[in-house]
Amino acid sequence: MILSGIDSGFRVTRKGTPMLENRTTITDGAAVVDEAITSRRSVRAFLPDMVDDETIRAILSVAARAPSGTNMQPWRVYVTKAEVKQRITDAILNSGIRAEKAEWDEYRYYPDQFFEPYLTRRRANGFGLYSVLGIGRREVDRMRAQHDRNFVFFDAPVGMIFTVDRRLNKGSWIDYGMFLQNIMVAARGRGLHTCPQAAFAPYHKQIRPVLNIPDEEIVVCGMALGHEDTSKPENEFRTDRAPLEEWVTFAK
């Protein structure tokens, strides 16, 4: 799926920013945007086909239109390929630190103890993925091996590491989430897929020297970017979403 400005009802300004032309094209534009959002998912197996720098730059430029408090734009991105990406992989996998022993000492992504409804959703996600891979609930070594595929960026040709200045506050982290979503949606518009990966965060000590990341920056997450390998069973897995009735209140 490649979404073009001509077909989508968008026009491009002189600076390259897509804009809806008029009320008539809003319907068409909404369909294009909705398709990019709903077709986004975490792909866990990629083809080796390279993504050129021009495409990566275009995706990041569009994503940077994300809103941020007083336009601070708190994101910083390290784009890696080939040898540099492999050095990140080697630094993590050769560290001997298993995922269950990794230290979340910069920030904590998950609660110390899960509770409902989040526990059930988390389990459904894990069991669903392992099921399509044929991994049993007691096959711990196979589970670990699958988790470690994070650190090869699921074989994607492009791996990105995202950081934020530790002196910033929670509002900037909210802004960051919108920026990351923009990247993933912009990638879909170009026929590409992604996988956002918090798994990299506790390995910041291994990643820092490879990318020369300053101490004042916190590693937020990584992200794989590339073309989906549709032959792999893990890419058949689909997550569901809770119905609106469970989480929306129309206040009166």
Side-chain angles (χ1 to χ4, degrees), residues 146-188:
Q146 176 59 30
H147 183 272
D148 284 351
R149 295 225 350 107
N150 274 284
F151 307 125
V152 298
F153 293 93
F154 298 111
D155 297 323
V158 180
M160 293 181 281
I161 298 294
F162 300 89
T163 68
V164 66
D165 193 306
R166 67 176 68 251
R167 294 168 294 183
L168 295 176
N169 218 319
K170 291 179 181 179
S172 292
W173 287 70
I174 295 172
D175 300 339
Y176 218 118
M178 292 184 278
F179 169 67
L180 293 171
Q181 175 74 356
N182 272 4
I183 292 175
M184 294 181 275
V185 172
R188 289 302 301 127

Side-chain angles (χ1 to χ4, degrees), residues 112-134:
D112 292 332
Q113 184 172 353
F114 281 91
F115 49 93
E116 296 299 344
Y118 313 109
L119 176 61
T120 295
R121 293 174 185 171
R122 174 179 170 85
R123 285 176 172 171
N125 184 75
F127 293 151
L129 175 61
Y130 293 146
S131 177
V132 299
L133 289 168

Side-chain angles (χ1 to χ4, degrees), residues 89-127:
T89 297
D90 293 342
I92 294 173
L93 294 182
N94 293 338
S95 69
I97 303 173
R98 307 300 313 186
E100 59 269 26
K101 299 292 185 181
E103 189 175 2
W104 287 83
D105 57 345
E106 294 278 70
Y107 80 95
R108 298 195 65 81
Y109 193 97
Y110 296 112
D112 292 332
Q113 184 172 353
F114 281 91
F115 49 93
E116 296 299 344
Y118 313 109
L119 176 61
T120 295
R121 293 174 185 171
R122 174 179 170 85
R123 285 176 172 171
N125 184 75
F127 293 151

